């Protein structure tokens, strides 16, 4: 159960697009279409942004999208807004009823 | 509206036990898997344990296996985490989270967390 690998930080200007990667292994990300992405603002509980790899919960902006290639999942945020500045975490099913999170990525909107 | 309210956290000495509870409302509790996830202050999220709708599938992180026990009570719409042999590294904010699916598809709604501090 090793943590998934995310970049520590990414940044972008308002209106731009950014992509956050989440690299796992063939035992987790690569083997299941069960990757979720969460947004967490300071002192707040995480909020689900993407589930099952690319599905958006009701109420989440269509500026957020998810994809996967091999052992790497990605979250793309288009049309960056100031309110998108937060920490983002990926999470993948890892088999045998276990799950694993990424280390988190701090998004800064310049 | 989905509501998850955790309780039971506090200051405990190393080696002692603590039982966390999570009261669920606003959804049909029996229809969803549930999770416990923890976060060390200023650090990232760590999945701790999960249980499917009928308690038939249960999983634990390696870091807590053999020490923590997850359970659920449909009559009380509640999720529990029995934490034994606590260590300093178990100090964290513990979140209860609802799954998107009955068997487990990943957490969606989260509570506000309960803080556990393990220290002598």
């Amino acid at each position: 159960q090793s943590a998934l690998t995310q970049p520590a930080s990414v940044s972008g200007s308002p209106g731009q697009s950014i992509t956050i990667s989440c690299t796992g292994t063939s035992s987790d990300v690569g083997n299941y279409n069960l990757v979720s992405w969460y947004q967490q603002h300071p002192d707040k509980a995480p909020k689900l942004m993407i589930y099952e790899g690319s599905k958006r919960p009701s109420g989440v902006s269509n500026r957020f999208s998810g994809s996967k290639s091999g052992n790497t999942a990605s979250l793309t945020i288009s049309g960056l807004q100031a309110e998108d500045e937060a920490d983002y975490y990926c999470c993948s099913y890892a088999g045998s009823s276990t799950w694993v999170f990424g280390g988190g990525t701090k998004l800064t909107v310049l | 509206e989905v509501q998850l309210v955790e309780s039971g956290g506090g200051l405990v000495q190393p080696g002692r036990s603590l039982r966390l509870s999570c009261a669920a409302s606003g959804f049909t509790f029996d229809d969803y898997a549930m999770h416990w996830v923890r976060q060390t202050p200023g650090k990232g999220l760590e999945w701790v344990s999960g249980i499917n709708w009928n308690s038939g599938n249960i999983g634990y992180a390696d870091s807590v296996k053999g020490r923590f026990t997850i359970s659920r009570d449909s009559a009380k719409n509640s999720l529990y985490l029995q934490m034994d042999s606590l260590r300093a590294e178990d100090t964290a904010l513990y979140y209860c989270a609802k799954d998107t699916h009955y068997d487990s598809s990943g957490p969606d709604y989260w509570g506000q967390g309960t803080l556990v501090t393990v220290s002598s």
Side-chain angles (χ1 to χ4, degrees):
Chain A
Q1 294 177 353
S2 299
L4 307 175
T5 300
Q6 297 181 233
S9 63
V10 298
S11 63
S13 299
Q16 287 186 332
S17 294
I18 63 95
T19 297
I20 299 172
S21 61
C22 169
T23 301
T25 69
S26 57
S27 297
D28 39 61
V29 174
N31 199 32
Y32 305 98
N33 283 321
L34 290 173
V35 174
S36 304
W37 288 91
Y38 303 89
Q39 176 191 66
Q40 187 179 34
H41 286 110
D43 299 320
K44 297 293 186 182
K47 175 186 177 184
L48 179 66
M49 307 304 285
I50 296 289
Y51 68 102
E52 295 179 9
S54 60
K55 297 179 180 178
R56 249 187 334 269
S58 173
V60 171
S61 170
N62 59 9
R63 297 186 298 106
F64 291 83
S65 62
S67 63
K68 189 184 85 167
S69 178
N71 296 337
T72 298
S74 298
L75 173 71
T76 297
I77 309 173
S78 59
L80 266 182
Q81 299 179 0
E83 69 221 44
D84 299 332
E85 185 163 293
D87 294 326
Y88 290 83
Y89 295 90
C90 61
C91 177
S92 174
Y93 184 64
S96 302
S97 301
T98 66
W99 293 78
V100 61
F101 278 90
T105 297
K106 181 176 180 60
L107 170 61
T108 300
V109 181
L110 302 171
Chain B
E1 178 192 4
V2 172
Q3 285 201 333
L4 300 166
V5 180
E6 303 93 338
S7 61
L11 174 63
V12 61
Q13 293 179 328
R16 303 298 291 265
S17 299
L18 209 56
R19 188 194 196 206
L20 305 184
S21 300
C22 171
S25 61
F27 65 101
T28 304
F29 184 69
D30 287 352
D31 285 353
Y32 294 92
M34 299 291 294
H35 302 266
W36 287 101
V37 179
R38 67 187 181 186
Q39 185 168 34
T40 306
K43 298 282 182 67
L45 299 170
E46 180 187 13
W47 180 83
V48 173
S49 182
I51 185 169
N52 77 333
W53 69 285
N54 67 353
S55 305
N57 287 323
I58 289 175
Y60 299 96
D62 287 343
S63 57
V64 307
K65 196 176 298 181
R67 300 187 299 121
F68 289 11
T69 304
I70 192 172
S71 62
R72 61 190 298 160
D73 185 336
S74 59
K76 296 183 178 180
N77 281 357
S78 292
L79 177 72
Y80 304 101
L81 186 67
Q82 177 67 40
M83 304 187 296
D84 299 323
S85 303
L86 282 162
R87 305 168 180 168
E89 53 264 36
D90 296 319
T91 294
L93 183 66
Y94 284 74
Y95 290 105
C96 163
K98 169 190 166 293
D99 200 282
T100 60
H101 196 261
Y102 67 90
D103 204 25
S104 199
S105 185
D108 54 4
Y109 290 95
W110 300 58
Q112 290 304 306
T114 186
L115 183 62
V116 172
T117 303
V118 184
S119 174
S120 55

